[in-house]
């Protein structure tokens, strides 16, 4: 069994009209923009990189990178650097291939960033292919599932006022939701007021805050202390993602767990944070780490008695499926991130939709990832 082809597809799909507010106007018509108070670059489309690996016996595997901005960069890595190495290899040797692929540009400083995103897509495709070759789901190849039903939390309440957010939270609660994450960073007092409005909806509702690295340490401490008083579920990304020392100080000062991991790509980054006790909840995104590295991260976290709740943002159906298999195979896994708007788009590329959320997903049981991509959907929408 040998790899004979690796194909990469840049995908750009239009979002629903209500996608996280209105896109700011741009004088030059660019599709990328910044949405204050957050500092990251966003696209007005759902952008991603899809990879298909094909073997000489006709079996194919699908993978996806979390590449929400400029997926063409990760595509170039796949096409120029990875594909020539994969051709002729046995795709069932997933972990040895991961060692080979991560070594390609490592001495040149490219174990993370776009290189890691590209490798994540290929790694996911190899696991999918291996599962199909052996006739078992990916979670079986990972050693078995701890759960057949993956708990989720609703990520985001995209409304303009606290009253509207509370109303939307109430709608989710009526559907059985008992865990919600707020996307904030609007100022300490405003964030706490939003938290109060949403928490008041139901006495059993767990509420977390994602601050999108908007704060300096002093304000993050003030926000965290306010969340301590309110019994918050966790505080995600309160500080700039590179500042391990400040996160360590914050984590030591708070009862509310500090959650990080979206910006990280590999076990060595997570190990440093875990050893420093700078993180209380690890959030690797499988679309950025791949399945192989996500499981390595989970094992290191387990050795430090830290739970892992995989991150998911705008990845489409392949990335969702990969996250579900990883979430099933991790022992201490409180919940997988459910993005309501993303899911309305994520299934567009699949031949059959993933069914699940907002409370949980049933674990896919078909060989591989349990999803198939319709190649005719991988076209940029005008």
């Amino acid at each position: 069994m040998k790899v004979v082809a690796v194909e990469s597809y840049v995908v750009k799909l239009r979002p629903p009209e209500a996608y996280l507010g209105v896109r700011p106007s741009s004088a030059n018509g660019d599709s990328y923009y910044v949405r204050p108070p957050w500092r990251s670059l966003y696209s007005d489309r759902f952008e991603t990189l899809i990879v298909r690996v094909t073997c000489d016996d006709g079996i194919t595997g699908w993978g996806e990178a979390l590449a929400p901005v400029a997926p063409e960069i990760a595509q170039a890595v796949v096409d120029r650097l990875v594909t020539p190495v994969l051709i002729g290899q046995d795709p069932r040797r997933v972990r040895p291939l991961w060692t080979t692929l991560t070594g390609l540009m490592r001495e040149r400083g490219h174990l993370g960033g776009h290189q890691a995103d590209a490798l994540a897509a290929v790694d996911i495709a190899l696991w999918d292919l291996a599962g199909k070759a052996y006739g078992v789901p990916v979670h079986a190849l990972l050693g078995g599932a701890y759960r057949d039903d993956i708990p989720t939390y609703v990520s985001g309440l995209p409304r303009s006022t606290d009253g509207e957010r509370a109303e939307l939270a109430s709608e989710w609660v009526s559907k059985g939701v008992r865990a919600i994450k707020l996307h904030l960073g609007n100022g300490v007092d405003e964030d706490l007021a939003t938290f109060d409005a949403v928490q008041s909806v139901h006495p059993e509702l767990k509420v977390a805050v994602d601050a999108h690295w908007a704060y300096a340490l002093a304000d993050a401490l003030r926000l965290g202390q306010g969340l301590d008083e309110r019994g918050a579920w966790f505080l995600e990304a309160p500080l700039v993602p590179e500042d391990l020392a400040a996160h360590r100080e914050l984590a030591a000062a708070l009862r509310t767990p500090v959650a990080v991991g979206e910006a990280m790509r590999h076990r060595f980054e997570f190990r440093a944070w875990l050893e420093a006790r700078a993180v209380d909840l690890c959030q690797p995104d499988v679309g950025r780490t791949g399945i192989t590295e996500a499981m390595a991260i989970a094992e290191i976290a387990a050795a430090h008695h830290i739970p892992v709740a995989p991150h998911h943002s705008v990845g489409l159906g392949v990335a969702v499926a990969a996250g579900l298999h990883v979430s099933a195979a991790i022992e201490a896994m409180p919940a997988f991130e459910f993005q309501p708007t993303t899911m309305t788009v994520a299934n567009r590329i699949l031949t059959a939709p993933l069914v699940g959320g907002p409370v949980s997903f049933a674990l896919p049981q078909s060989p591989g990832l349990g999803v198939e991509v319709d190649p005719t959907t991988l076209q940029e929408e005008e």
Side-chain angles (χ1 to χ4, degrees), residues 316-318 320-321 324 343 347 350 352-356 361-362 364 369-371:
L316 301 185
V318 178
V320 173
L324 293 176
M343 286 308 302
N347 283 322
L350 302 181
L354 275 167
V355 179
F361 277 91
L369 292 174
V371 296

Side-chain angles (χ1 to χ4, degrees), residues 195 199 205-207 226-233 255-256:
F195 185 97
Q199 190 184 47
L205 186 63
K206 295 190 293 186
V207 183
L227 295 177
D228 280 352
E229 295 169 1
R230 292 161 169 81
W233 186 20
R255 294 193 307 276
T256 301

Side-chain angles (χ1 to χ4, degrees), residues 15 52 102 132 137 144 193 195 202 213 228 244 301 321 336 352 358 360 380:
R52 175 166 59 179
T102 54
K132 292 172 181 174
F195 185 97
H202 193 282
W213 53 287
D228 280 352
L244 183 154
F336 179 66
S360 65
E380 181 172 352

Side-chain angles (χ1 to χ4, degrees), residues 16 42 66 72 84 91 100 159 165 193 227 247 261 276 278 284 305 308-309 320-321 328 351 358 364 375:
Y42 292 88
L66 178 57
E72 296 86 352
T100 297
R159 294 294 185 269
R165 294 179 185 116
L227 295 177
H247 279 87
H305 308 287
V308 175
V320 173
T351 58

Side-chain angles (χ1 to χ4, degrees), residues 13-21 33 35 43-46 153-159 168 172 175 183 312-317 320 337-348 356-358 361:
L13 301 180
R14 283 198 302 268
E17 291 183 4
Y19 175 56
L20 296 181
Y33 61 97
R35 190 190 312 149
S43 172
D44 62 2
R45 305 292 179 96
F46 276 75
Y153 64 90
V154 169
S155 185
L157 298 173
R159 294 294 185 269
L168 181 55
W172 285 121
K175 298 176 183 179
H183 293 270
H312 187 86
S313 58
V314 295
L316 301 185
V320 173
E337 186 167 8
F338 175 75
Q339 295 273 3
T341 306
T342 294
M343 286 308 302
T344 66
V345 181
N347 283 322
R348 287 188 202 170
F361 277 91

